[in-house]
Amino acid sequence: MGRGAARRLLHLYSRKNKNLLVCRNVHPCRFMHYSSSSRFLLCSMLSHSLSDLGSTCSTPLTQLDILHGTFCNKFYCTLLENKKPTSESAESCELVAEPVEIIESGIENSGPGGGGLSFSQIATRDPLEIYKELKGSSSFKKEASDRDALHEIVRGFSQSGWASNQALAVYIGSNFFPIAAQKFGSFFVKRCNNDLVKYMLSLGPGRHADKLLFPIFVEFCIDEFPDEIKRFRKLVDSADMTKPHTWFPFARAMKRKIIYHCGPTNSGKTYNALQRFMEAKKGVYCSPLRLLAMEVFDRVNAQGVYCSLLTGQEKKFFPFSSHVACTVEMVSTDELYDVAVIDEIQMMADSCRGYAWTRALLGLKADEIHLCGDPSVLNVIRNICSDTGDELVEHHYERFKTLVVEAKTLLGDLKNVKSGDCIVAFSRREIFEVKLAIEKLTSHRCCIIYGALPPETRRQQASLFNNQDNEFDVLVASDAVGMGLNLNIRRIVFYSLSKYNGDSIVPVPASLVKQIAGRAGRRGSSYPDGLTTTLHLEDLDYLIECLKKPFDEVKRVGLFPAFGQVELFASQLPDMKFAKILEKFSDSCKVDGSYFLCQNLHIRKIANMLERIPGLSLQDRFNFCFAPVNIRDPKAMYHLQKFASAYAQKLPVTLAMGMPKGAARNDSELLDLELRYLVLSMYLWLSNQLEGERFPFVDKAETMSTSIVKLLGESLINACWKPEPRNPRKSKQEEEEAEDGYERPMSLVKLQQKKRKEKSPAPEQDDAVAT
């Protein structure tokens, strides 16, 4: 919700004003309880009482505007509403009034306890006056049935998602709302007079009763819980992530020129951006991958432009260099550049890493910023440039040669593979199975590329494949081939068009299919014309459908708080653990409609593991949570825990790991090499992010990494084994033992019977029994 609007609402309520404010779709009465005969009077009252609010709008408020809430045409929402939309929260986004006629019963001033309040007049009364009368009155005697019905109504209010969401507007948190609603319910039921009881019973539990009770509930909370409201207000303000373009005042003070190189793969967009990068006096290239940063680093230096390399694991500074090739997470927003290049800008929409691209675009202090990417984020870039005041220039590109889909597939037979083909599979197991089959059935030799390999090994394999003078003429790769490598591919062949997403087998997204298929054909290579097809005929229609489909337009891009904001937020919760602080921040933060908070499950899992380690500062925990570790690998997590434990105890962080004797001879040894490289990479990354002197074995780690890269290259060339499953299948006996060991729940009777059975001696077998 807009912070200014929330403050205005709280201010109006605290002044005990009679205004009925519509703000962030917060409708205290939402005109639900006003009959058509009273709407003109209501409009007159609103026009008079909201004159000061209307003066802040760009256009004057009319009676129709007030009824339809058009003066509040922009709204903000919490992250919880973004992630878990409910039917009730959706209701709160409707701005059109829904007048409901009062149920006229002809009863006026009905007996004792009426307090001068008419049943038919309750709907048109100011909720503030109703609250004042409730507060100033004593308890009224009620029939048991009426009291039970009232309890049912207020119980429904306390469980209302709509009311809980609206309470955020006046800084009543979702965790505190049930407590406040319960106390309000007791207060309301106890002091409710006869006419109010009858009117509430006529509404019954549900939306109409909730919207009548809500403004009275707000007045009650302001009187009863001012400290809680003040505390939550500070908490929300510290988690405010609206208007992220204002976080970089120096970049806003510049008149930047944004050049968007928009086009598909193999269209020359990155080449043109890099040409401008090399021409500049001082420039920075922001890469999505270490692999691509290394490639640009080598290319630029080879052309006589001194360039340094900066990634999480490497820092290579050339003397007198004025250019930097870095990963996008490592780019500095403090340096001043003439030209900056941000590659694969569509990654702004990535659910995990998107914040790094958003930060680079908003915060880089460069006269020219060249963006390279597909059209999916073009409209978002236009909106951001409108907010920042930057000039936007669009250069649209078409592919050099049209990508051709071969109607004749491989018909399910890998014997039909040809030189220059790249077979794309979406699992490590399938990659090795395809390599083994091709080398067994044909005379081709295969190179391998997949995401778990070190970037240096991937470059080695790509170099082998691109070299026409050797026997390695077929590439078998995962979706990692879609970004970061220049490859001489004649034809992309999809082994399948479905992949495992961690939960189930799903079709490969169309955007990924287009990205991978576009790698076929490269200008200036032996195969300038790109071809693509599938292994199986049944996948061909889906491939054609994906290639014809336009890019999906991105609506929102990622954000993530810097440490300073997390630290400010944590100061409001001094006794809370870091993992809970991150969770609380996700629930409390506010983002504009063009942004989302990136997923932090990876970070929170590491944070939970670090809770067992005392002595780490908040900043240390924050830095450790971004370490490049595979959280699904227990061995890798074990090494990270060891590093963190030594660092917390102010001890030198050591490498308790030796070098393997030679290249891998089977899949388990290959997996071990991959793990060793990951641990070394993590050690080097931590040494660059934390106090470097606490990591005394950096040189040793770099030497071991180089040796393991070499062993991995040899292992992949000679790999002729079937990959082992990561979770080997157990024997029937082991499965039965596992079932017995994990039988849950076990009743006390069964447990006692099991103990007796174990204690009782086994019966002696008769020698005459046949075996």
Side-chain angles (χ1 to χ4, degrees), residues 347-363:
M347 291 285 288
M348 293 174 74
D350 186 78
S351 60
C352 297
R353 296 179 63 204
Y355 70 91
W357 278 263
T358 306
R359 169 182 166 271
L361 174 59
L362 294 175

Side-chain angles (χ1 to χ4, degrees), residues 93-157:
C93 294
E94 298 174 6
L95 294 174
V96 180
E98 301 177 23
V100 177
E101 298 293 337
I102 304 173
I103 304 174
E104 302 283 354
S105 64
I107 302 176
E108 295 190 6
N109 301 325
S110 55
L117 190 61
S118 169
F119 176 20
S120 61
Q121 295 175 352
I122 290 175
T124 58
R125 294 201 60 192
D126 183 358
L128 176 57
E129 294 180 0
I130 297 177
Y131 171 71
K132 286 181 177 179
E133 290 187 5
L134 291 174
K135 186 177 179 182
S137 63
S138 58
S139 60
F140 290 97
K141 189 175 181 180
K142 303 172 186 65
E143 295 183 5
S145 59
D146 291 347
R147 187 169 59 251
D148 291 343
L150 278 178
H151 278 298
E152 186 67 24
I153 291 172
V154 296
R155 189 181 301 113
F157 175 80

Side-chain angles (χ1 to χ4, degrees), residues 52 77 93 189 198 227 352 404 409 505 507 513 554 612 712 732 742 758:
D52 57 335
C77 54
C93 294
V189 171
K198 291 177 182 177
D227 293 338
C352 297
V404 177
T409 68
I505 304 294
V513 172
V554 170
R612 299 191 289 267
L712 278 168
K732 289 185 178 181
Y742 290 97
E758 291 173 352

Side-chain angles (χ1 to χ4, degrees), residues 30-44 63 67 97-104 120 123-124 199:
R30 199 152 174 228
F31 314 108
M32 294 296 300
H33 312 288
Y34 290 88
S35 64
S36 57
S37 60
S38 63
R39 269 186 286 173
F40 178 78
L41 179 61
L42 173 64
C43 289
S44 301
Q63 292 179 1
L67 273 178
E98 301 177 23
V100 177
E101 298 293 337
I102 304 173
I103 304 174
E104 302 283 354
S120 61
T124 58
Y199 185 68

